[in-house]
Structures are given as C-alpha cells and as structure tokens.
Amino acid sequence: TVTPWSPDGKRLAYTPSGDTGIWTYDLSLRRRVRISFGEDDAAPAWSPDGKRIAFDGDDGVFVADADGRDTRRLSATPIPAAGPPVWSPDGKTIAVADVSSPASRLLLLPVAGGKPRQVIRGGQDGVWSPDGQWLAFTADRGGHSDLFVARGDGSHPRRLTFGTGGTEVVDVRWSPAGDRIVFQRFGG
C-alpha cells in the first residue's frame, strides 16, 4: 500500500492540483520542497527509511532524495509504469508494472542500479510480504486476473487463484505476520 505520509509521519509527498512535479511538505516546519519538475510525474512512494521517494516520471521510474537532490532514473531505458512504485521492506528493490508492451509485465528494479528483472508477463500490483521474502501480485490471464506469489527476487512465480472470464483480483494485502494474503475478487 502506498501512502503519501513519510514513515515517521512528519512529511507528505504529493502532486499538487494545478501544478507539476512531486512535492513534499514538512508538517512541523510548514515547508514545501519540490522533488521533481516533470509534467507527468505522479504516484510518489516513500522508501522504508524515509530518506528517498520513488515516483512515476515522464519517461520512467525515478528515485530522489527526500530533500530533492540526487534524482535519477532506475533503468537505462524509460519504463512507462502503471501504478505507484512499491518499495521492498529493505529498500533495495522497487516493484513496478511496465506498460510499454501490449501486455504489461511486473519488473523488479534494483535501487542501487542494474538491470531490471522481469517477474511475469501481464503482472501488476506487486505487494511485498512484511519480511520482503515474497511478492504477491496480480496478472492478466486472457480476460481475467489471478493472484500470484513469487520469491522476493522475482523467481519461481506461482499461481494461487484460477479465475474465469471477467473476474478481477484487486486490493491484494499481506497479513502483518506475512503468512496470509487477502484480496477482493470482482466479476465472473
């Protein structure tokens, strides 16, 4: 789940209405800081330590220091993302749905740099387990979506549900202990 609140609850990250870019607002200092300037920058997501913000940018997924310095794209080529970037609990990897191909694909982007790893074609809506050992996500399977889980490195994806035409799995969440996954299913 992505929230505009920093992990310490003292700052917000947002895209202001009628403006461009990502901004932060420090509640105690009552000060705004502009993090990015892109017209289509959106979906800010705080790192677990609150020091960085990932966001969908004009031509890919970016990470910036929370003070607006050191902004960089996480891949050598642009990755048009759908939905917010999702940080792993250790802050080393970001899961994102790449929508540059006809069927989206769930990618893992190393924050330190390196080649993105594809988890599964058609995948999206990644959610890390609390310990970061697993990644739950949905994937389109010919007119319906199903729930999958893979190891935290993206290996060994396994299908957990087998929907039929028109069903959609949404709002995937892990239990606090990381031993259960809850979700909603619509349609079909």
Side-chain angles (χ1 to χ4, degrees), residues 1-4 43-46 84-86:
T1 303
V2 176
T3 178
W46 290 92
V86 182

Side-chain angles (χ1 to χ4, degrees), residues 125 138 145 147 168-173 182-186:
D125 303 324
T138 62
S145 68
L147 178 65
E168 185 177 355
V169 172
V170 298
D171 201 21
V172 176
R173 297 177 192 261
V182 296
F183 60 93
Q184 293 184 54
R185 177 174 280 176
F186 295 100

Side-chain angles (χ1 to χ4, degrees), residues 81-186:
V86 182
W87 290 87
S88 62
D90 65 7
K92 295 181 179 179
T93 308
I94 291 176
V96 66
D98 170 13
V99 294
S100 63
S101 60
S104 66
R105 57 192 181 139
L106 186 65
L107 297 178
L108 299 182
L109 307 174
V111 174
K115 186 177 178 182
R117 178 184 172 101
Q118 179 175 309
V119 177
I120 194 166
R121 188 169 179 80
Q124 56 192 5
D125 303 324
V127 181
W128 296 94
S129 64
D131 64 5
Q133 298 298 307
W134 298 96
L135 182 68
F137 56 93
T138 62
D140 182 30
R141 292 292 173 251
H144 64 275
S145 68
D146 278 309
L147 178 65
F148 288 75
V149 68
R151 291 188 178 156
D153 65 1
S155 65
H156 305 291
R158 186 170 43 121
R159 191 176 188 172
L160 299 180
T161 64
F162 294 85
T164 57
T167 61
E168 185 177 355
V169 172
V170 298
D171 201 21
V172 176
R173 297 177 192 261
W174 287 89
S175 66
D179 59 345
R180 297 182 190 273
I181 303 169
V182 296
F183 60 93
Q184 293 184 54
R185 177 174 280 176
F186 295 100

